[in-house]
Amino acid sequence: MRVVAVDPITRIEGHLKVELTVEDGRIVRARSSGALFRGIEIILVGRHPLDAQRITTRICGVCPIAHSTAASFALDEALGISQDIPQNGRILRNLIYAANWLHNHILHFYHLSLPDYVSFRGLPLSEFLSSGVEEERFSSEENEKLVQHYLAALEVRRKAHELLALLGGKMPHDMAIVPGGVCFRPDPATLLAFRFRLAEIRGFLENIYVSDVLLLCRRYADYFEIGKVRRLLTFGAFPEGNFGLEGRLFPAGLVKDGEPEKFDPQQILEGVESSWYRGEKAHPWENSTQPDPQKVEGYSWVKAPRYKGEAYEVGPAARVALSLLWGPQDFRILARELLGEAGVGPEALSSVMGRHLSRAIEAVFLAKRMDGWLSQVDLDQPVAKAFHVPPEAEGQGLTDAPRGALGHWVRIKDGKIAHYQVISPTTWNASPRDERGKPGPIEEALEGTKVGDNALLVAGRIVRSFDPCMACAVQ
């Protein structure tokens, strides 16, 4: 038996330590540890309610629009205007948010994960990028093509940032999404520029990204059996009707033992048994953030959210699994087609390769849907709903970020924020053990994996398939 500590895990956002106990070439125990405390939930208390959006978007510079969106949803509900957002406000929010999703998926595949599989030896990038690849499953031509696409993706990511900035004002930390809708009314030239850049990005997604993901899936088909969790949860994303959990492009729900269920927000409890915090397991309405860095049984600054007492994987695998059952017909057709080309079924989604394939499916679908949303913008109609801040109110904002289920909970008292809690996607996925000793999803995905002498390489591939964002996880 040996203990291997990977600290920090590279090519992710933030500071993550993974400790592995390896016995007879197999991981028998894993511990996922968030190594940083930030305290943004504490900072928000006592602030003006409208500060919540501007502050929480600073939780992360990679996926800031997720927090901008969730905070706006929470404030919409608190202000009593959730059902009054004008169509333009809803569509423009969706377009800004979706542009960030496209950027995130391209970033994750090419620049965070691909170096785990591709060799850069002898190529221009070799002095900047080390490769952990020990087996060579790609031909030299395939390897060189993927490296060239790695470089091309840098330019596509820049265009995705431009796409977002056209409607959001800037990236990171947009200025356009606000309670009630958006605070920017585009003109025809702006929408035309958006459509032009979207077409370029969509061409890359459909002609290059998908092909590269499918190539990786064929060469590493065994990784459809590695890194499984099998319990999947999503809050849904992109309202296309009302602003509840119904009527979303990606539906809310969960899959347990292959069976779908409706999602009930009241069933979420967040514990701190193995985290450096004081307090009891509680719903976000009642939870608090009380750091305790000397806590003996703690090993992470990440809390442990659970749904009906169980750890659930959140992210693209969950969204694709639910959308295959309850999503739009055109999504189901695309997803079945790409799953068929990869030679797997929906049961393979919760795996290392399944997560990569899921991102490709939803990126292609989302880019196409964005083109349709653009055509629905009516420049003669309002983009926001007027409101006033009541002295007392509360609201929850539930959506999915690129990395999975994201929730914001706000309570207003005497016109100020009295309570604010955030549960981010990586808080779910990178959570430590709970009061029953049950591991979080990343820990579960690692445990039982046969690694031989390549523990660091295999573990890195598993962890990065979740696309951890530790800045979000520790708030």
Side-chain angles (χ1 to χ4, degrees):
M1 182 183 296
R2 62 192 177 104
V3 177
V4 179
V6 189
D7 183 17
I9 294 280
T10 57
R11 281 184 277 115
I12 66 166
E13 202 294 322
H15 308 278
L16 173 64
K17 172 186 176 181
V18 174
E19 187 177 277
L20 310 171
T21 302
V22 181
E23 185 174 358
D24 297 328
R26 189 179 299 274
I27 299 172
V28 296
R29 186 175 177 84
R31 297 212 313 181
S32 169
S33 177
L36 177 71
F37 172 70
R38 304 179 73 202
I40 289 179
E41 294 163 320
I42 298 173
I43 292 170
L44 284 162
V45 174
R47 304 293 296 252
H48 191 282
L50 298 187
D51 288 348
Q53 186 181 18
R54 297 278 70 87
I55 292 175
T56 59
T57 191
R58 267 72 181 175
I59 288 174
C60 179
V62 180
C63 47
I65 316 304
H67 294 287
S68 185
T69 300
S72 290
F73 285 178
L75 290 168
D76 288 343
E77 185 173 293
L79 301 173
I81 57 173
S82 291
Q83 303 304 318
D84 301 319
I85 310 300
Q87 175 174 289
N88 277 344
R90 173 180 59 78
I91 292 171
L92 291 169
R93 278 178 172 180
N94 282 351
L95 288 168
I96 295 167
Y97 195 15
N100 192 217
W101 279 50
L102 300 185
H103 173 273
N104 271 255
H105 287 353
I106 294 167
L107 162 65
H108 175 257
F109 180 72
Y110 284 102
H111 304 128
L112 303 182
S113 293
L114 198 59
D116 280 335
Y117 304 93
V118 170
S119 173
F120 291 89
R121 289 188 293 271
L123 295 168
L125 291 174
S126 60
E127 61 181 297
F128 303 106
L129 286 170
S130 60
S131 174
V133 181
E134 297 181 11
E135 79 276 61
E136 294 186 2
R137 301 194 188 184
F138 295 115
S139 69
S140 58
E141 292 79 11
E142 290 170 341
N143 193 89
E144 183 175 356
K145 179 182 73 172
L146 289 170
V147 171
Q148 293 305 315
H149 292 168
Y150 174 105
L151 293 170
L154 293 168
E155 177 69 11
V156 180
R157 283 176 54 200
R158 181 181 65 80
K159 291 176 181 177
H161 274 337
E162 291 177 352
L163 192 69
L164 192 160
L166 280 167
L167 299 180
K170 65 187 182 73
M171 175 63 194
H173 317 310
D174 81 286
M175 297 301 295
I177 296 177
V178 294
V182 297
C183 62
F184 171 69
R185 183 188 296 275
D187 57 25
T190 301
L191 295 182
L192 183 63
F194 191 99
R195 193 181 295 275
F196 175 79
R197 285 170 175 78
L198 177 60
E200 290 185 300
I201 297 167
R202 185 176 168 185
F204 178 85
L205 295 172
E206 294 176 350
N207 299 320
I208 297 177
Y209 176 38
V210 168
S211 296
D212 289 346
V213 171
L214 289 172
L215 175 61
L216 184 69
C217 289
R218 288 192 292 271
R219 296 291 180 267
Y220 287 84
D222 51 321
Y223 275 75
F224 279 112
E225 300 298 326
I226 295 174
K228 289 180 172 291
V229 177
R230 294 188 177 89
R231 293 178 308 281
L232 303 170
L233 172 69
T234 171
F235 293 169
F238 301 107
E240 292 201 310
N242 64 52
F243 277 82
L245 291 176
E246 303 297 329
R248 295 185 169 191
L249 177 64
F250 297 130
L254 55 139
V255 176
K256 181 182 178 184
D257 300 325
E259 295 298 322
E261 298 179 25
K262 291 292 185 180
F263 165 65
D264 177 5
Q266 296 307 310
Q267 297 299 324
I268 299 172
L269 295 177
E270 194 174 34
V272 295
E273 185 71 24
S274 300
S275 309
W276 287 307
Y277 299 97
R278 296 184 299 276
E280 301 297 325
K281 191 174 185 178
H283 188 275
W285 281 128
E286 307 302 329
N287 206 355
S288 61
T289 300
Q290 303 175 58
D292 183 5
Q294 305 305 319
K295 185 176 178 180
V296 175
E297 60 270 35
Y299 66 89
S300 179
W301 283 111
V302 181
K303 297 179 183 179
R306 298 291 187 262
Y307 184 83
K308 293 185 177 180
E310 294 193 84
Y312 276 79
E313 173 184 343
V314 301
R319 289 190 294 269
V320 173
L322 261 296
S323 295
L324 274 167
L325 299 168
W326 297 341
Q329 181 66 21
D330 50 346
F331 179 90
R332 285 182 273 169
I333 291 171
L334 172 65
R336 291 186 187 120
E337 176 186 338
L338 293 183
L339 282 166
E341 290 191 39
V344 296
E347 71 282 351
L349 291 169
S350 177
S351 67
V352 173
M353 282 302 117
R355 295 178 192 108
H356 290 301
L357 183 59
S358 295
R359 288 184 182 89
I361 292 169
E362 68 179 17
V364 169
F365 175 74
L366 192 54
K368 182 179 179 181
R369 200 63 159 218
M370 291 169 71
D371 202 45
W373 287 335
L374 270 176
S375 300
Q376 297 174 27
V377 176
D378 186 344
L379 298 178
D380 295 325
Q381 296 301 313
V383 297
K385 170 68 176 178
F387 60 83
H388 73 278
V389 178
E392 295 192 7
E394 62 182 30
Q396 67 177 359
L398 304 180
T399 184
D400 255 38
R403 293 163 178 82
L406 169 66
H408 284 216
W409 288 262
V410 61
R411 182 175 292 120
I412 300 169
K413 187 175 182 179
D414 297 327
K416 303 290 185 181
I417 296 173
H419 178 85
Y420 207 100
Q421 288 288 297
V422 176
I423 299 181
S424 296
T426 305
T427 314
W428 290 93
N429 287 335
S431 61
R433 280 170 158 71
D434 57 26
E435 75 282 358
R436 299 179 299 162
K438 297 293 185 179
I442 287 179
E443 294 175 334
E444 182 178 344
L446 288 163
E447 292 183 353
T449 303
K450 188 176 182 180
V451 294
D453 296 326
N454 296 322
L456 297 182
L457 177 61
V458 176
R461 288 170 173 170
I462 293 172
V463 172
R464 289 190 192 93
S465 72
F466 287 89
D467 195 11
C469 181
M470 300 309 297
C472 288
V474 298
Q475 278 79 269

